[in-house]
């Protein structure tokens, strides 16, 4: 079933998994777009940007507390764990747009987080960092001892991505032999530009998604289906082949 991919894998060393909300869908974390996406209920402009937070810190803080609870009650799924298992055979880098920390919890060794991490927070003024466990269930946003608001360490719309993570991701994409794009609609920039960097550097680009996206006609291989099923299946076939 995956003959072409297995052939590519047999001559590859460096693999990148570029992931979006779709890889966490089977862990019970809602995606952003699509019929059951959270953007259906909430408008990102109202919540996922700095001015919305400064206008109404309580509303935005509550929204992230609600999402943190969903994340805390979730577990990595077979898609996340298959990516960890790939580390036994390849040099693996994970570049994620997700803020749910599930790749780290699954045990991936090299994870670049382009949009931050919902378990981390920092003070808007003095940048002091706080772990979410320091204020597990406060409704209103806690204040830093310098008196300013504490915000989630998440990249909001109109904000720059962490330069070190982005630069390292570009390099990993350029050097990859195979570049998996897993569970993302590929419409948020500059994160989505990482795939074109891999493609123009000559990587074999494989998209795994339950539906076609706007990049599906530009990748080398489109595998339609759930990442929590396809990734373990590829690994099984790889193990069978190398036995
Ligand atoms: C920036 C908030 C430079 C945090 C997110 C106007 C002003 C400023 C910037 C812009 C502008 N207009 C456009 C931009 C650029 C903007 C952007 O790209 N907008 C898009 C919407 C057009 N980007 C930015 O603002 C970025 N910053 O450009 O700074 C700058 C600075 C100043 C001024 C100008 C420019 C910052 C990006 C924001 C990142 N933060 N969210 C939060 O609350 O999480 S983005 C949000 O979307 C998430 O963080 C997520 O990471 C990201 C991508 O979404 P996906 O992961 O792809 O999820 P989605 O639901 O879309 O898709 C899921 C996919 O999975 C689907 O394809 C589905 O079919 C599939 N799927 C589902 N189940 C499965 C599955 N696949 C496999 N298996 C399954 N089981
Ligand atoms: Zn402070």
């Amino acid at each position: 079933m995956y003959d072409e991919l297995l052939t590519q894998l047999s001559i590859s060393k460096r693999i990148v998994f570029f992931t979006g909300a779709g890889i966490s869908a089977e862990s019970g974390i809602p995606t952003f777009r699509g019929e059951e996406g959270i953007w259906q209920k909430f408008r990102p402009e109202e919540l996922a940007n700095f001015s919305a937070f400064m206008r109404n810190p309580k509303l935005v803080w509550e929204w992230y507390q609600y999402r943190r609870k969903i994340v805390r009650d979730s577990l990595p799924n077979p898609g996340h764990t298959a990516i960890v298992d790939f580390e036994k055979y390849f040099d693996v880098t994970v570049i994620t747009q997700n803020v749910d920390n599930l790749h780290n919890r699954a045990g991936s060794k090299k994870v670049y987080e382009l949009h931050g991490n919902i378990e981390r927070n920092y003070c808007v003024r003095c940048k002091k960092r706080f772990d979410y466990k320091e204020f597990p269930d406060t409704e209103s946003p806690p204040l830093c001892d310098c008196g300013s608001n504490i915000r989630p360490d998440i990249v909001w719309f109109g904000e720059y991505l962490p330069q070190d993570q982005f630069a390292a991701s570009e390099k990993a994409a350029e050097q990859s032999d195979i570049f998996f794009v897993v569970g993302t609609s590929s419409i948020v920039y500059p994160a989505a530009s990482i795939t074109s960097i891999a493609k123009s550097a000559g990587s074999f680009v494989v998209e795994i998604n339950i539906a076609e996206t706007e990049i599906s006609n530009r990748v080398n291989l489109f595998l339609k289906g759930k990442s929590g099923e396809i990734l373990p299946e590829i690994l099984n076939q790889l193990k069978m082949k190398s036995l």
Side-chain angles (χ1 to χ4, degrees), residues 72 94 140 165 198 217:
R72 236 178 294 169
V94 176
S140 39
Q165 303 288 301
N217 56 6

Side-chain angles (χ1 to χ4, degrees), residues 123-128 130 144-150:
C123 167
V124 295
R125 190 163 69 180
C126 71
K127 310 294 177 218
K128 186 176 169 200
F130 299 84
C144 172
D145 28 35
C146 81
S148 301
N149 279 116
I150 294 172

